Amino acid sequence: MIEARMWHPVAQSTALQAAPLGVQLLGQSVVLWRDDAGTAHAWADQCPHRGAKLSLGRVCAGHLECPYHGWQFAAEGACVKVPALPEFVPPAGHAARVFGIEEHYGLLWVQLEADPTRAVPPFAAESDGGLRKVLCGPYDVATSAPRIVENFLDMAHFGFVHEGWLGMREATAIDDYTVEPTPTGLRATQCKAWQPQSNVHSTAPAQVEYTYEVVAPYTANLIKVPDAASVAVQGFRESIGLFISPLTPTSSRVWFRLAMADFESPDAKLQDFQHTIFMQDKPVLESQTPQCLPLDVRAEVHTVADKASSAYRRFLKQERITFGVC
Ligand code: FES
Ligand code: CO
């Protein structure tokens, strides 16, 4: 499965403290833990001895200790202690299954199968000093990751799902926009919407222009620029990263990385706006059947307003993605 060679977010960095943390990724149970130096590790959440969940254990002196027979595993995965046999020196094969792990954008990212040619998906706004970053989530959503990406790219739902916020019934027409494939997904530009309350600082309805980019199968971002007159904050602009952990083919964990030209508002104010918007999306997302995203063009019907969605489906097909699609 190609997805196993890609990097996926699994938890907020701050969620991983002294105790091990069990998460799911692509149907695989993963244990996350930090050693004495604070370095994060990601292993299969299954003890190589008798299969107990290592996430039920604890960290002792920089080693992860299994909850069942107390075997201890050092940072690189090797078993270094078998309490039932104090003199025993475990062979190399007595080791935990180790995955790749990195920290980016306030999240822990895991790669289940080593592939040095692949990197954590980019989020350009992260290195933009003019934008303040706030993480929003996690949200557990009972649908596939691709359905969530597609919702993020979709503007035709604004006037219905986000009525009075990102859209209104009096202005539901979608002007033509441009979609181009990129090596990592797609870019949609000149996506325009008339929005009553386009962001936390809106003072009047605004014509907003979006650029969307899919930068990995389950990762997308947008850049949103409202017209100047409608925003109280001078030069306001924002970028939002959508980071999805594909837990199972039909369940996902979602974070938004908000990057905004606003260094005054408390985190909670920025998070509340995004929370309101996503709570409007969630019940509709969870109502869609099938939960997997159908890649066969005949499975659902399409219009030209859906061309970003169609391009996304073609990209998943071309990448031979199988998790969360059908
Ligand atoms: Fe982990 Fe036995 S199952 S030590
Ligand atoms: Co929405």
Side-chain angles (χ1 to χ4, degrees), residues 253-270:
R253 187 162 291 169
V254 175
W255 290 271
F256 296 97
R257 185 72 161 164
L258 311 178
M260 295 192 187
D262 171 0
F263 290 83
E264 266 85 64
S265 302
D267 286 4
K269 187 175 171 190
L270 305 182

Side-chain angles (χ1 to χ4, degrees), residues 47 49-52 66 68-71:
C47 180
H49 179 221
R50 289 295 179 264
C66 178
Y68 199 177
H69 310 99
W71 287 26

